[in-house]
Amino acid sequence: MSDTFIERDAVRILFIIYFCGKKLLQLSLLDDNDYTHLIDSESKLQKIDFWIRYPDHLAAALLYRCETNGEGSLANRAEEIKPIIRHIFQAREPLLRWIPMRKYLRGAYEPLDTVMAYVSALGLAYRRVLEWGHCTYYFLTPKGSGVVERIQNECEESRWYAERCQLINEFFGHLNGFEIRTLQYLQATYKITPNLGTIDRIEPEIRQRFARFYGEEL
């Protein structure tokens, strides 16, 4: 993995589409290409990217779902989630994995034009706006899938991205972009961030919530 930002961003976006997207056997809606994976919403792609870049906010979402009952509750998996949150903080992920992201009118957002132009030029992934729904779709090509798999095998550091995407998909993959955004807005620091402002980290608050919910220090 290169230290250049464009390649780091490209790896992250490719991994999100691969691990959090829908698997496709064949799809030729727009051209003669076949695709292997699809994310059918830019909002969902952006909000998953935010959780990868802000591990403490991911921990906040996991905690919230453990603390509440009703639809979407993870209260019955609280003991399973506890070591996940603990590892995030013991590994200092909120600091070491943090990549700042700004908030726009609909939450965490970063223009994807440059990174998508890069991966499209390499034939790895494409962005398409479907006319009948005015929705932005992100497709991964067979070549792109092969690159993701090869990166995992050849670069040990990249496996963190694979594991994190799989974790997000396991607990939140059934949600659409709007539902993920709504969940992220439950965090006060996220909600009050002004338009175009950089979203802050929230480690102290998560430590307090963890101790209150689990009865032990993080």
Side-chain angles (χ1 to χ4, degrees), residues 14-15 138:
L14 291 174
F15 272 52
Y138 293 83

Side-chain angles (χ1 to χ4, degrees), residues 31-150:
D31 48 40
D32 294 330
N33 291 317
D34 293 331
Y35 304 100
T36 62
H37 298 76
L38 158 71
I39 284 187
D40 59 3
S41 161
E42 180 172 3
S43 176
K44 183 168 185 174
L45 179 61
Q46 295 273 3
K47 302 310 178 279
I48 292 175
D49 191 30
F50 172 74
W51 270 337
I52 293 174
R53 295 163 64 155
Y54 282 77
D56 49 347
H57 281 263
L58 173 60
L62 289 168
L63 265 176
Y64 176 77
R65 284 297 172 91
C66 289
E67 294 165 340
T68 57
N69 295 311
E71 185 177 358
S73 173
L74 295 173
N76 63 335
R77 302 183 69 179
E79 289 304 309
E80 176 186 355
I81 290 171
K82 180 168 68 171
I84 295 174
I85 297 175
R86 186 178 294 283
H87 176 75
I88 287 175
F89 280 80
Q90 287 180 341
R92 301 177 63 203
E93 288 184 14
L95 175 62
L96 299 179
R97 299 290 184 177
W98 174 53
I99 304 175
M101 198 169 184
R102 290 183 178 181
K103 180 185 168 192
Y104 285 76
L105 297 176
R106 295 181 176 85
Y109 175 83
E110 183 170 278
L112 296 175
D113 295 348
T114 300
V115 67
M116 288 309 301
Y118 178 77
V119 297
S120 296
L122 295 174
L124 306 179
Y126 295 97
R127 174 172 56 189
R128 300 284 188 267
V129 178
L130 301 189
E131 295 180 0
W132 53 87
H134 301 287
C135 294
T136 304
Y137 281 45
Y138 293 83
F139 299 97
L140 194 65
T141 67
K143 182 180 179 182
S145 291
V147 165
V148 170
E149 293 161 4
R150 189 170 72 249

